[in-house]
Amino acid sequence: QPVEATDDAFWDQFWADTATSVQDVFALVPAAEIRAVREESPSNLATLCYKAVEKLVQGAESGCHTEKERQIVLNCCRLLTRVLPYIFEDPDWRGFFWSTVPGAGRGGGEEDDENARPLAESLLLAIADLLFCPDFTVQSHRRSTVDTAEDIHSIDSCEYIWEAGVGFAHSPQPNYIHDLNRTELLKLLLTCFSEAMYLPPSSDSSNTNPWVQFFCSTDNRHALPLFTSLLNVVCAYDPVGYGIPYNHLLFSDYREPLVEEAAQVLIVTLDYDSSTSSSPTVDGTTTGTAMDDVDPPGPDNLFVNYLSRIHREEDFQFILKGVARLLSNPLVQTYLPNSAKKIQFHQELLVLFWKLCDFNKKFLFFVLKSSDVLDILVPILYFLNDARADQSRVGLMHIGVFILLLLSGERNFGVRLNKPYSVRVPMDIPVFTGTHADLLIIVFHKIITSGHQRLQPLFDCLLTIIVNVSPYLKSLSMVAANKLLHLLEAFSTTWFLFSAVQNHHLVFFLLEVFNNIIQYQFDGNSNLVYAVIRKRNVFHQLANLPTDSQSIQKGLQRKKKTPEPISRTNSQDGVSMEGSRPAAPAEPGTLKTSLVATPGIDKLTEKSQVSEDGTMRSLEPESSQPLAEGNHPPSTVSDGEPWSGEASHPRRDRRRLSSASSSGQWTPTPDWVMSWKSKLPLQTIMRLLQVLVPQVEKICIDKGLTDESEILKFLQHGTLVGLLPVPHPILIRKYQANSGTAMWFRTYMWGVIYLRNVDPPIWYDTDVKLFEIQRV
């Protein structure tokens, strides 16, 4: 039966309890009970929500000076965190928080103007105020305690930023009680934002989340200090602390839960589709002035706006060092097992790093200006290599590859890769001596040859990254050179080329890599030239690829005998690095969330041509299309198939075979093979073989050589100046923002947040619509 809103004795029992924790609230208030109240006595649920928000508003107004008030605020916080997901899962209730509560006896009518605020807005503003509440979530600046309680409305929250860093120099004394209270408030804030999980993914990614929109608008007077606090708390965090082994086992780290919560709130507030905006900072055309106000106004979302306006070198340095330190943390090897703390929120950090680069081009250029970018690259390659066999980590694979694709669009990234790789992070890859470029190629080869089926849609991206950096690679190691040729061998078998409409793209990408290196970096790449000479038959076979129907059918027959998409033999893998563990598949029963399909590489990137002076100009999509397909629609690798959705065994081998035309099964025809075979860019390589093969053979005959080193010495000193065709212009495929990836990021980010919040399990077993929860 409905309880009157004025019956204070009844309602107060919900938050008057002294010591409860958020876990207690979740145990005491079971899901079934919340749903029962929602269905059977909706007015009581409405009153409960309204009363809890009212208590938070009162706490924010009064400044929470007494222990009792603080306890009430925390309990209301926990209760709302528990109840909100059940309000979001029911479409009839979704508008509830955006309605005003009529005549909800706020001491008569003296505050009628306040009554007009929707409940959601009152709640968000109260949370923001409480996050800067002296002696509750921030240190009080007042010395004496004699009734000079700071008026919460007169304080300038910019003086109470939680941590030194961007725009704030003073690092407050750490206070674990404040950290705990902030964490509880941020948990509630994240729960408010999570309404997005209860709406199915839509192609229109511009539909903004009203909670985030209001919270990040000028209505929130704490937007700037809160954005800065969240960013600084994340980037200043050092999980290893003072370097005392086992420290984390002796002392509970109150900072870590706060940092995780801050990272999650930050990436959700930055969920913004930059492809639909005309924000000046997104296309990188703003000049590097220190004058902030000359930029046209950015997006309405103040968090995105502030992020895009950060411009001081020392701020960039602080952010980059912080993100790199945290991303490298899981790689830190100590001699004492488990002696150093390992963080678990690397996926949130990768999303944050992506947002920084995507919304702030000056930051992107700063990252690429020095070899610090390699401190981001190595952890990403480590995660990619480690997750390659694990179906529950497909999302992690994608975001890692997306970041590398974004970086590879800039010339400096390719140049930085030439730095020798000396840090020996134990990875399950062959031992090699070389540069960061070698590391990247070897890891990509591993992913392609021994990752699981679901990664096939990423092959185009992986090879595009190698193409983008190839003109700048000064000297590949023999191991990396062999890996590239092994990929070409695998991708140019007839059954692979004929079995799906876009498979030949992979061969085009690889040929482009070889051409770039031969034309622009011949000196120094004798290892690659030698590998090309040794595997010359692969190029001859491609040039003589049969195009008659009978041969096509015969090529497809071969596939029946070789179910493995890529042979692992003859790739001379050698010994893996010491101390490394093989990449393991997911434990059976691991939960994962589904993802929407990503756009094909042609939608994901746009072509730019590099001119003599190193500047890039964008190419019209129609000009230079080496991969044009005649009359076929442009291929999207995932063909709209939700490949992280249903169980994939029955269609396992159709993974890449799903046809680009929806009219049933696609079949290769002689005309189709001819249409692309005639465009294979083999001239440069054929000329190289024509000149060098006879010379190498002569050396072998003359000196009876079987020794590689002599031949390599000869190739090192050889030159092809004047013998090769005129160099082609360098083509870079730069990532371009699009609504497809914006939607992908939204589903991925909320999936990560859903799975990572297990204690308490805020959204577990509620009816989320943005993704499906699956067991491996």
Side-chain angles (χ1 to χ4, degrees):
Q1 67 284 10
V3 180
E4 281 304 312
T6 47
D7 181 356
D8 285 343
F10 174 79
W11 297 110
D12 284 348
Q13 64 185 1
F14 284 99
W15 32 80
D17 247 353
T18 42
T20 55
S21 66
V22 67
Q23 285 78 7
D24 294 341
V25 172
F26 272 66
L28 292 169
V29 187
E33 227 166 280
I34 304 173
R35 288 192 175 114
V37 175
R38 185 182 71 195
E39 307 308 326
E40 287 147 35
S41 40
S43 68
N44 284 357
L45 183 60
T47 309
L48 181 69
C49 290
Y50 165 69
K51 285 284 192 188
V53 173
E54 189 181 46
K55 286 289 174 203
L56 289 180
V57 172
Q58 283 167 6
E61 301 268 317
S62 74
C64 284
H65 295 301
T66 66
E67 196 43 54
K68 180 164 186 262
E69 281 180 286
R70 289 174 200 158
Q71 203 52 58
I72 288 176
V73 162
L74 288 173
N75 283 338
C76 289
C77 218
R78 294 157 184 160
L79 193 67
L80 285 167
T81 303
R82 180 62 172 139
V83 170
L84 274 168
Y86 297 92
I87 286 191
F88 294 152
E89 74 174 356
D90 184 338
D92 297 339
W93 275 82
R94 233 167 261 153
F96 169 70
F97 269 85
W98 293 96
S99 57
T100 49
V101 181
R106 228 191 223 176
E110 74 252 3
E111 288 183 45
D112 273 335
D113 55 337
E114 268 298 304
N115 275 346
R117 257 205 198 289
L119 204 51
E121 294 186 5
S122 305
L123 172 57
L124 290 171
L125 293 176
I127 295 173
D129 277 339
L130 288 164
L131 285 167
F132 291 98
C133 184
D135 288 329
F136 180 53
T137 49
V138 291
Q139 303 271 233
S140 170
H141 288 185
R142 295 286 165 92
R143 293 291 159 265
S144 67
T145 49
V146 190
D147 284 348
T148 51
E150 289 166 86
D151 177 10
I152 191 131
H153 292 291
S154 69
I155 71 170
D156 173 7
S157 44
C158 286
E159 293 171 12
Y160 290 89
I161 288 171
W162 301 349
E163 185 57 77
V166 176
F168 195 66
H170 166 68
S171 186
Q173 247 335 97
N175 178 322
Y176 80 93
I177 301 284
H178 293 174
D179 278 359
L180 290 175
N181 295 342
R182 292 164 178 174
T183 305
E184 299 236 29
L185 286 159
L186 290 179
K187 217 182 260 313
L188 173 56
L189 188 57
L190 194 61
T191 309
C192 291
F193 293 160
S194 70
E195 186 179 359
M197 283 195 208
Y198 297 90
L199 304 170
S202 69
S203 51
D204 173 24
S205 63
S206 57
N207 48 7
T208 42
N209 179 332
W211 296 83
V212 172
Q213 194 176 6
F214 179 78
F215 192 78
C216 298
S217 72
T218 46
D219 286 291
N220 177 1
R221 71 188 183 99
H222 302 294
L224 178 60
L226 189 58
F227 168 75
T228 315
S229 294
L230 296 172
L231 184 62
N232 291 354
V233 156
V234 172
C235 295
Y237 178 56
D238 182 1
V240 180
Y242 304 108
I244 308 164
Y246 299 106
N247 200 10
H248 66 291
L249 300 180
L250 307 177
F251 303 102
S252 178
D253 176 356
Y254 294 101
R255 211 7 94 103
E256 189 183 22
L258 174 65
V259 174
E260 289 204 3
E261 216 64 55
Q264 292 178 1
V265 168
L266 207 46
I267 60 179
V268 171
T269 52
L270 297 170
D271 176 19
Y272 179 78
D273 182 358
S274 57
S275 65
T276 57
S277 77
S278 52
S279 157
T281 38
V282 173
D283 58 16
T285 50
T286 50
T287 46
T289 69
M291 288 294 295
D292 249 349
D293 40 69
V294 295
D295 287 349
D300 295 335
N301 175 327
L302 291 180
F303 278 39
V304 175
N305 199 333
Y306 297 143
L307 183 80
S308 67
R309 284 163 181 265
I310 297 172
H311 63 281
R312 287 170 39 217
E313 294 258 316
E314 55 271 40
D315 289 344
F316 287 157
Q317 188 62 38
F318 164 74
I319 295 171
L320 180 58
K321 278 271 180 278
V323 173
R325 177 186 339 107
L326 291 170
L327 284 178
S328 316
N329 163 271
L331 288 60
V332 175
Q333 288 298 314
T334 49
Y335 293 105
L336 303 166
N338 305 324
S339 65
K341 187 176 178 71
K342 293 251 191 286
I343 60 157
Q344 300 298 321
F345 55 98
H346 48 273
Q347 301 195 80
E348 292 92 320
L349 286 165
L350 290 171
V351 175
L352 179 60
F353 183 76
W354 168 270
K355 300 278 179 198
L356 281 156
C357 293
D358 196 20
F359 295 155
N360 191 325
K361 284 294 173 269
K362 288 179 198 154
F363 177 74
L364 176 63
F365 298 141
F366 176 84
V367 169
L368 292 164
K369 206 170 71 176
S370 73
S371 50
D372 288 350
V373 64
L374 302 175
D375 298 336
I376 299 284
L377 169 76
V378 172
I380 289 178
L381 291 175
Y382 172 85
F383 293 132
L384 290 178
N385 187 57
D386 189 53
R388 67 177 192 266
D390 182 343
Q391 291 212 2
S392 68
R393 292 199 281 169
V394 175
L396 171 62
M397 299 292 295
H398 274 74
I399 183 154
V401 172
F402 282 159
I403 290 174
L404 298 184
L405 179 65
L406 180 71
L407 295 174
S408 75
E410 307 297 333
R411 171 182 179 275
N412 264 353
F413 182 64
V415 175
R416 297 286 158 235
L417 290 179
N418 290 308
K419 187 175 175 183
Y421 176 67
S422 50
V423 261
R424 288 276 170 246
V425 175
M427 283 163 86
D428 168 30
I429 53 171
V431 179
F432 70 98
T433 306
T435 64
H436 285 76
D438 296 308
L439 176 68
L440 178 132
I441 288 169
I442 291 167
V443 169
F444 283 11
H445 172 270
K446 248 321 192 203
I447 294 168
I448 291 172
T449 55
S450 66
H452 59 79
Q453 287 295 126
R454 294 268 169 84
L455 299 179
Q456 289 222 346
L458 279 177
F459 290 2
D460 286 2
C461 267
L462 293 169
L463 293 188
T464 298
I465 293 165
I466 300 180
V467 173
N468 281 349
V469 301
S470 58
Y472 311 110
L473 304 183
K474 292 197 167 14
S475 164
L476 285 184
S477 69
M478 191 58 95
V479 178
N482 284 333
K483 297 296 178 210
L484 286 175
L485 278 139
H486 177 238
L487 289 179
L488 182 70
E489 237 179 322
F491 290 148
S492 57
T493 60
T494 46
W495 77 257
F496 186 77
L497 284 174
F498 297 157
S499 60
V501 71
Q502 65 275 8
N503 282 0
H504 62 276
H505 291 187
L506 300 172
V507 168
F508 275 83
F509 285 140
L510 285 164
L511 291 175
E512 209 176 320
V513 170
F514 297 137
N515 288 337
N516 281 343
I517 294 179
I518 292 166
Q519 287 282 17
Y520 292 98
Q521 298 289 351
F522 180 81
D523 300 336
N525 269 302
S526 50
N527 287 329
L528 183 76
V529 175
Y530 178 65
V532 166
I533 292 174
R534 273 189 51 221
K535 293 281 183 192
R536 54 190 179 276
N537 62 326
V538 180
F539 299 98
H540 291 303
Q541 278 164 8
L542 267 176
N544 301 320
L545 191 72
T547 54
D548 58 291
S549 310
Q550 202 181 354
S551 307
I552 293 175
Q553 282 317 307
K554 210 157 122 193
L556 288 171
Q557 290 312 307
R558 249 178 240 172
K559 171 175 186 313
K560 306 267 190 300
K561 302 191 195 92
T562 50
E564 265 301 318
I566 289 174
S567 70
R568 298 188 194 172
T569 50
N570 76 16
S571 95
Q572 313 116 0
D573 243 10
V575 194
S576 269
M577 293 173 71
E578 202 181 332
S580 67
R581 292 190 314 276
E587 294 286 317
T590 307
L591 288 180
K592 67 189 184 82
T593 54
S594 61
L595 294 161
V596 292
T598 47
I601 194 74
D602 48 347
K603 302 248 186 347
L604 208 54
T605 54
E606 60 177 0
K607 295 203 183 78
S608 300
Q609 197 168 317
V610 181
S611 33
E612 306 283 297
D613 59 356
T615 53
M616 291 197 193
R617 58 185 188 82
S618 183
L619 292 178
E620 288 312 303
E622 301 77 44
S623 69
S624 109
Q625 270 262 326
L627 308 181
E629 219 90 67
N631 48 8
H632 281 283
S635 66
T636 51
V637 182
S638 38
D639 278 325
E641 177 188 338
W643 42 263
S644 41
E646 54 301 290
S648 65
H649 292 297
R651 36 212 302 192
R652 182 159 178 173
D653 282 326
R654 279 188 37 219
R655 190 51 69 224
R656 222 185 151 85
L657 313 185
S658 57
S659 122
S661 65
S662 48
S663 56
Q665 192 62 40
W666 166 84
T667 47
T669 62
D671 286 351
W672 170 77
V673 178
M674 281 303 296
S675 74
W676 54 262
K677 179 188 167 182
S678 59
K679 299 195 183 81
L680 283 168
L682 287 165
Q683 306 78 334
T684 301
I685 295 171
M686 289 309 186
R687 184 81 188 113
L688 172 132
L689 293 172
Q690 198 185 349
V691 174
L692 292 179
V693 170
Q695 301 183 2
V696 169
E697 284 178 338
K698 185 171 187 306
I699 295 177
C700 294
I701 294 165
D702 289 359
K703 307 199 170 166
L705 275 185
T706 48
D707 180 23
E708 289 188 357
S709 59
E710 282 287 327
I711 299 168
L712 283 168
K713 207 175 293 171
F714 162 72
L715 291 174
Q716 263 158 17
H717 300 300
T719 171
L720 291 175
V721 175
L723 296 171
L724 292 177
V726 179
H728 55 284
I730 296 175
L731 266 192
I732 301 289
R733 292 173 184 80
K734 284 173 82 94
Y735 167 81
Q736 54 173 351
N738 59 75
S739 45
T741 32
M743 197 62 225
W744 184 89
F745 270 97
R746 182 175 299 172
T747 50
Y748 169 60
M749 165 184 83
W750 279 114
V752 169
I753 291 172
Y754 176 98
L755 292 173
R756 299 256 302 106
N757 281 276
V758 286
D759 183 26
I762 303 181
W763 300 281
Y764 189 68
D765 264 352
T766 58
D767 188 14
V768 292
K769 295 274 194 296
L770 185 61
F771 44 76
E772 292 169 34
I773 292 93
Q774 301 154 339
R775 282 192 189 280
V776 173

